[in-house]
């Protein structure tokens, strides 16, 4: 079975502060991990995937197989980063399983 | 490039009724997945269709069923509606079934009274 845990329901920071949204997963094989984001009044969309090893909108995420984590980080938060963030895992079935989401609020 | 569209956007039904939700996938995407998202929760996988055949199913009872058509459209049918079925239903299409990027629709908000 595959499971994704996002321990924080809400994360509140001030503009310019570092941000780390936590994601832990449970899967016995080699996972594919994703971060999806939903901005206010918009649909859910892909932010980044671990196999791409890219930085999108200043966000990065590193897969740590030892700690089974895929935390999302940004060194300096911006107000426009306020959104719901979902971590997702795709295992052998190739069907993404989503975490419950973390609401990020960036205050001015 | 057309996006994923879902209809209707909102729906109110009573317990015991049946409902059909519709989704039009992005052109060229042969895989569609349906998710149920309850308030304050992440999307829960219902099932996936690949080239008109069910390719995987989540922990949902048989009264949740689906169809995928050759024209990239699909349906989610729910029979014998229960109050707990009230949720946002999301459709997501992808180019293929192998861990590809999902393109989501805006969802159908279903309320069961």
């Amino acid at each position: 079975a595959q499971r994704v845990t996002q321990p924080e329901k809400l994360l509140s920071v001030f503009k310019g502060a570092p941000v780390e949204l936590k994601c832990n997963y449970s899967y016995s094989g080699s996972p594919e991990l994703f971060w999806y984001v939903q901005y206010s009044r918009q649909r859910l969309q892909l932010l980044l995937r671990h196999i791409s090893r890219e930085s999108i909108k200043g966000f990065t995420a590193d897969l740590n197989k030892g700690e089974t984590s895929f935390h999302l980080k940004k060194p300096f938060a911006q107000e426009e980063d306020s959104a719901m963030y979902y971590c997702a895992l795709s295992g052998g079935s190739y069907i993404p399983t989503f975490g419950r989401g973390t609401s990020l609020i960036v205050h001015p | 490039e057309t996006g994923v569209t879902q209809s209707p956007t909102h729906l109110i039904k009573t317990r015991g009724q049946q409902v059909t939700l519709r989704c039009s996938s992005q052109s060229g995407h042969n895989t569609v997945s349906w998710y149920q998202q309850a308030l304050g929760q992440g999307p829960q996988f219902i099932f996936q269709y690949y080239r008109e055949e069910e390719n995987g199913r989540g922990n949902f009872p048989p009264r949740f069923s689906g169809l995928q058509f050759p024209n990239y459209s699909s349906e989610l049918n729910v029979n014998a509606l229960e109050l707990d079925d009230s949720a946002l239903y999301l459709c997501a299409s992808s180019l293929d079934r192998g861990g590809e990027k999902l393109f989501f629709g805006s969802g159908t908000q279903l309320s069961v009274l």
Side-chain angles (χ1 to χ4, degrees):
Chain A
Q2 54 193 57
R3 189 167 61 244
V4 175
T5 303
Q6 293 181 252
E8 303 140 330
K9 203 169 183 178
L10 172 67
L11 187 61
S12 182
V13 301
F14 285 99
K15 177 182 172 181
V19 168
E20 182 179 69
L21 291 93
K22 292 183 167 50
C23 172
N24 290 92
Y25 67 90
S26 172
Y27 180 64
S28 56
S30 290
E32 286 196 54
L33 285 143
F34 309 79
W35 277 99
Y36 281 81
V37 61
Q38 185 167 27
Y39 301 103
S40 179
R41 302 180 195 278
Q42 294 187 29
R43 59 187 65 190
L44 202 53
Q45 58 186 291
L46 180 69
L47 179 62
L48 56 80
R49 54 196 300 187
H50 90 271
I51 60 170
S52 302
R53 301 187 67 82
E54 57 196 344
S55 173
I56 304 292
K57 300 186 179 184
F59 284 98
T60 59
D62 290 319
L63 175 59
N64 186 323
K65 290 189 176 181
E67 296 183 358
T68 60
S69 68
F70 187 57
H71 303 327
L72 184 67
K73 300 177 184 179
K74 185 169 182 176
F76 308 104
Q78 303 298 316
E79 289 179 67
E80 55 265 30
D81 296 329
S82 296
M84 278 296 294
Y85 291 81
Y86 295 94
C87 181
L89 176 153
S90 221
S93 65
Y94 302 116
I95 296 168
T97 297
F98 286 79
R100 69 170 181 175
T102 298
S103 176
L104 173 65
I105 299 175
V106 182
H107 300 281
Chain B
E1 178 180 276
T2 58
V4 178
T5 57
Q6 291 187 244
S7 62
T9 54
H10 296 84
L11 199 53
I12 299 175
K13 290 285 189 179
T14 55
R15 194 170 51 181
Q17 284 189 309
Q18 178 267 342
V19 69
T20 297
L21 309 182
R22 294 182 171 81
C23 172
S24 179
S25 297
Q26 192 149 318
S27 181
H29 286 190
N30 58 27
T31 304
V32 64
S33 304
W34 284 90
Y35 288 84
Q36 180 195 67
Q37 187 173 21
L39 197 61
Q41 301 296 319
Q44 297 295 309
F45 174 72
I46 303 175
F47 44 57
Q48 183 184 81
Y49 278 80
Y50 170 71
R51 294 185 175 177
E52 302 165 50
E53 291 194 4
E54 190 177 287
N55 183 54
R57 189 177 182 92
N59 190 25
F60 281 81
R63 59 188 185 84
F64 284 77
S65 63
L67 285 171
Q68 185 186 26
F69 303 102
N71 65 350
Y72 306 117
S73 68
S74 64
E75 290 180 355
L76 163 64
N77 298 289
V78 187
N79 292 323
L81 283 166
E82 300 177 0
L83 298 180
D84 286 348
D85 295 334
S86 296
L88 180 67
Y89 288 85
L90 296 168
C91 162
S93 73
S94 54
L95 196 57
D96 208 341
R97 58 185 169 173
E100 295 286 334
K101 171 181 175 180
L102 295 177
F103 291 80
F104 281 88
S106 298
T108 294
Q109 184 66 53
L110 173 65
S111 298
V112 182
L113 306 178

